[in-house]
Amino acid sequence: MKLKLEIITQEEQLYSDIVDQVIIPTAQGEITVLPGHISLFTKLDVGEVSFTQKDKVEGFVVSGGFLDIASGQVVTIMADSAI
């Protein structure tokens, strides 16, 4: 089982692909999302969103926004801005 990760800003969809795991900075602290994670909607903090795909780690820096985890399989990051 894998996760579908989508990273969206107000200007564009930066990323959309299947990943193994995601590490995300939230207002309550950093969380690691694996397949089967409980549904969650929370506020993002400033920091790096990193994700693993086929043993390769990549990432974006976000400056706030929101995180939505649906059905333990879809992770949507709606960032204020990201690079």
Side-chain angles (χ1 to χ4, degrees):
M1 182 185 262
K2 303 278 186 167
L3 295 167
K4 178 169 181 165
L5 173 63
E6 296 180 338
I7 301 176
I8 303 165
T9 67
Q10 295 176 2
E11 292 84 26
E12 63 183 322
Q13 181 172 9
L14 291 176
Y15 188 84
S16 180
D17 207 348
I18 304 298
V19 299
D20 300 313
Q21 73 174 19
V22 187
I23 300 173
I24 306 164
T26 71
Q28 291 77 33
E30 188 175 86
I31 64 169
T32 300
V33 179
L34 299 169
H37 196 284
I38 62 169
S39 295
L40 176 68
F41 187 83
T42 190
K43 187 175 179 182
L44 290 176
D45 201 4
V46 175
E48 182 181 6
V49 172
S50 61
F51 51 92
T52 305
Q53 182 183 42
K54 299 177 186 171
D55 297 326
K56 183 179 175 188
V57 178
E58 298 182 50
F60 289 92
V61 175
V62 297
S63 65
F66 294 95
L67 163 68
D68 181 38
I69 302 171
S71 306
Q73 297 177 3
V74 180
V75 178
T76 304
I77 295 172
M78 297 160 278
D80 293 337
S81 65
I83 54 170

